[in-house]
Amino acid sequence: MRPVRWAVGLAAAAALTACGGTSDTAAGPTTTTAADRPGPFFGVCGQLTDDEVRQAFAVPAFATVTRNSVGCEWEVSGPTGPSVSFSWYRGSPIGRERAGSELIGRPAADIEIAGQSGFEALYQDALGQPVLCESALQYGSDFVHLSVTYADVAPTADPCVVGRQLLETVAERAQ
């Protein structure tokens, strides 16, 4: 019985190959643009150290630091308190992240760090204090993203300044 299955499989593969026609080669070679290429290697947490994040964020210590395959989060007082998060998105459009920020009331502005374009989106509390800032940079078909939030705590530093400072360090260390 096995030789029959093998023969049927071989015949099906031959039929599929024969059906290819010339339309595949008529399309010509595929070109790859810079936006289609993956970006550099950023390493765990964008190669940011806990101390660098703590100093930029201007807090004495973190209660929790989470590291996983998609990013890192430094939390001062748990998941609803002040925090900094770093994410590295492979093959994902930065425009979707920017549009999402704008959709929820965080107007985005263009930024450039180390020759890489991106955006920064600021949210202010009812008193007009900047309490959350998202910053992202495009690298080919990838992008890196930092979110800095002071939540309901009085900011100890401007969240966009913190984000830019940390993104400059990430960009400097990209491999």
Side-chain angles (χ1 to χ4, degrees):
M1 198 64 133
R2 282 190 175 181
V4 172
R5 286 185 185 166
W6 182 79
V8 170
L10 185 58
L16 289 173
T17 303
C19 293
T22 59
S23 63
D24 293 354
T25 56
T30 344
T31 58
T32 303
T33 65
D36 294 334
R37 288 186 216 120
F41 179 72
F42 291 98
V44 175
C45 302
Q47 299 184 45
L48 295 169
T49 68
D50 296 350
D51 194 46
E52 289 169 328
V53 176
R54 184 189 54 73
Q55 287 178 5
F57 198 44
V59 295
F62 295 111
T64 307
V65 177
T66 305
R67 293 174 178 82
N68 61 44
S69 62
V70 295
C72 298
E73 186 159 12
W74 295 266
E75 298 173 331
V76 174
S77 61
T80 60
S83 67
V84 174
S85 67
F86 170 83
S87 300
W88 175 14
Y89 294 90
R90 304 285 314 211
S92 183
I94 192 173
R96 184 176 7 192
E97 189 74 22
R98 180 183 184 135
S101 292
E102 291 179 337
L103 190 63
I104 59 174
R106 298 178 196 145
D110 293 336
I111 62 169
E112 185 176 309
I113 296 174
Q116 302 300 313
S117 62
F119 75 90
E120 186 174 83
L122 174 66
Y123 176 76
Q124 296 176 333
D125 66 11
L127 301 174
Q129 286 189 323
V131 294
L132 182 144
C133 189
E134 294 180 86
S135 306
L137 291 176
Q138 182 78 51
Y139 286 88
S141 62
D142 305 341
F143 73 95
V144 291
H145 178 269
L146 268 159
S147 180
V148 179
T149 181
Y150 285 94
D152 293 332
V153 174
T156 53
D158 181 314
C160 288
V161 171
V162 173
R164 267 184 255 124
Q165 180 182 345
L166 293 173
L167 273 180
E168 286 170 2
T169 302
V170 169
E172 179 183 293
R173 295 176 181 165
Q175 301 175 5

